[in-house]
Amino acid sequence: MRSASALAALILAGALAGGVQAEPLRSAGITDPDTKAWWQIAEAISGDAMEGRDIGSPGYDRAADIVAARFKAAGLKPAGDNGGWFQVFPVHESRVESEGTSIAIAYSARQTRALTFLHDISVRPTDTLATKLDAPLTFRGYCAPRDLTDAKGKVVVCFNTKRAGLTTAGQRIAAAGAAGAAGLIQVDDPYFTIEPPRWPAAYARTVAIAGTPAPVAATLPVMTMSAAAFKVLAVGSDHDPDEVLKLGGEKQPLPSFDLLGHLQAQFHLTTRDYTAKNVIAVLPGRDPALKSQYLALSAHLDGYGFGEPVKGDGLYNGTLDDAAYVGTLIRFADKHKATPLRRSIVFGVFTGEEKGLLGAHWFVDHPTVPKADIVADLNLDQLRPLFPLELLTELAVDDTSLGTTARAVGATMGIRIQPDPEPERTLLTRADHYPFMQAGIPGTGFIFGYVAGTEAERRYREWYQVRYHRPQDDLTQPMDFEAAGKFNRFFYKLAETVADSDQRPSWVAGSKLAPKP
């Protein structure tokens, strides 16, 4: 990290003047004017001065002020609460603090083995989390209900699979709660290489919109454990942990067996209430017949803020996730300052995406434009411009007419559009287009695609291994700026096409995602 207290003021002053006074970093070497301006925005809102833009933090507020100032300079109209730029909503946070938290395997009164919190094991905080736990351990495979018939009072250890046809996390939690388990530990699948597990965890926090009902199993400690820690946990069990993990990775039947010792844990739980805010703006349309309709363009501004250090860096800048693509929305607004489109555009720069799509959910549930008049949402997230752009994955590509439009636009630019080749990752439900789709509004998002076995795939996998939700997602990471610029031009053209079309986007007949009649 760079020490940048003075630089923060310089960046903010320039941004609030309507431009971006960027750090003298890589933008100086970018030749394409639009891509250069785009990256300067990324430099301003994901530099260290913004402190990772954690939800509700001063750094987030500074970044939100920059976005609002840039929208104002682009001629947009504020569309937040009470005629302002911001849509504010209450959130509640539960957190397990590292200080005062301890987790260990106790083999006897004198023999224990400590597990390192956030490195070996983490826990899902809730307000009603039991702060002390002392219970025997038992491994129960995939933790389907039939595996837990005598699990009462035990900490059940499960294989944490995301593979189709096996138990989901929600099903495992429900089954453990129904069985009267004292706790649940879900062990990483080290063979799920399409999105590998990452340790350390940044922190153990749950943030939710205030008043959201607690999950059914709120008092059950739900923990996650690394595969390496499981190998320690399984010592002396007469089962080879490597073989158990391999069987799980191959979706094979798993044994059930007791583990030595008790899990002894003490959790230091804290809670707090505060407010979070979206930035909402509108570009009014020019067509008298269509300007009452709105195309939503969205991206999330929040990141992870400060967290557990990785390689000595504890600031999670979130440059590609998702500051740079807030920049794409700003550049789109700049482009259309003097050339409005037929439909109106509502820009949703959301907060709390990293905590469960909170800002998008709040906007969809409390829209500042008529919900029935929002024709679609084009969301920007999960984009990694690390290699030449020839292939894009489009989420729900065959579920709405947006897929047909995107394919037509891509064909003019030498970009092929494909369906999601890795649905096990559930990327469809993990980004801010999804609350719109749940409300019956067509939506989509994009991911840079690659051909299996190529250098592009290697770069993509490497990014998820070492940069995703880590401090290394910062302004110094490898980038293909030509590909980044090409994607932005694709997005501009797609949004313009949808906004100017005679027909509003529609669901494809037979789509399982379409709203029920």
Side-chain angles (χ1 to χ4, degrees), residues 94-118:
S94 305
R95 179 173 183 137
V96 172
E97 308 284 355
S98 294
E99 185 177 351
T101 292
S102 61
I103 306 175
I105 309 164
Y107 301 104
S108 68
R110 295 184 178 182
Q111 185 181 6
T112 63
R113 185 159 189 169
L115 298 173
T116 304
F117 187 53
L118 302 180

Side-chain angles (χ1 to χ4, degrees), residues 442-507:
T444 195
F446 298 90
I447 303 127
F448 270 53
Y450 50 83
V451 175
T454 62
E455 173 64 11
E457 181 182 16
R458 186 198 68 78
R459 294 181 187 180
Y460 184 87
R461 303 293 187 207
E462 186 265 354
W463 195 92
Y464 272 93
Q465 180 68 55
V466 304
R467 301 182 195 281
Y468 181 50
H469 291 172
R470 288 193 173 206
Q472 287 67 37
D473 177 15
D474 63 11
L475 292 165
T476 69
Q477 65 189 294
M479 288 280 293
D480 185 323
F481 285 105
E482 183 176 342
K486 185 176 181 180
F487 175 81
N488 286 344
R489 292 189 294 275
F490 163 82
F491 181 79
Y492 301 157
K493 189 171 183 179
L494 174 62
E496 290 160 359
T497 301
V498 175
D500 283 344
S501 174
D502 290 337
Q503 303 297 320
R504 68 185 284 165
S506 59
W507 291 91

Side-chain angles (χ1 to χ4, degrees), residues 202-263:
Y203 37 62
R205 292 170 60 196
T206 300
V207 183
I209 295 170
T212 302
V216 173
T219 59
L220 179 75
V222 177
M223 293 161 277
T224 304
M225 175 178 280
S226 73
F230 173 70
K231 294 178 184 181
V232 174
L233 193 70
V235 168
S237 66
D238 295 330
H239 284 78
D240 182 350
D242 288 306
E243 180 62 22
V244 171
L245 295 172
K246 184 172 183 293
L247 288 171
E250 295 173 349
K251 296 177 62 173
Q252 296 299 309
L254 288 172
S256 292
F257 53 92
D258 288 337
L259 298 158
L260 297 183
H262 281 212
L263 188 79

Side-chain angles (χ1 to χ4, degrees), residues 11 34 70 106 143 154 165-166 188 193 208 230 299 326 334 336 338 341 375 398 438-439 475 495:
I11 290 173
D34 182 68
R70 289 300 304 261
C143 284
K154 300 177 182 179
L166 299 174
D188 284 344
T193 56
F230 173 70
V326 171
D334 291 342
H336 288 283
L341 299 155
V375 302
D398 296 320
Q438 289 177 298
L475 292 165

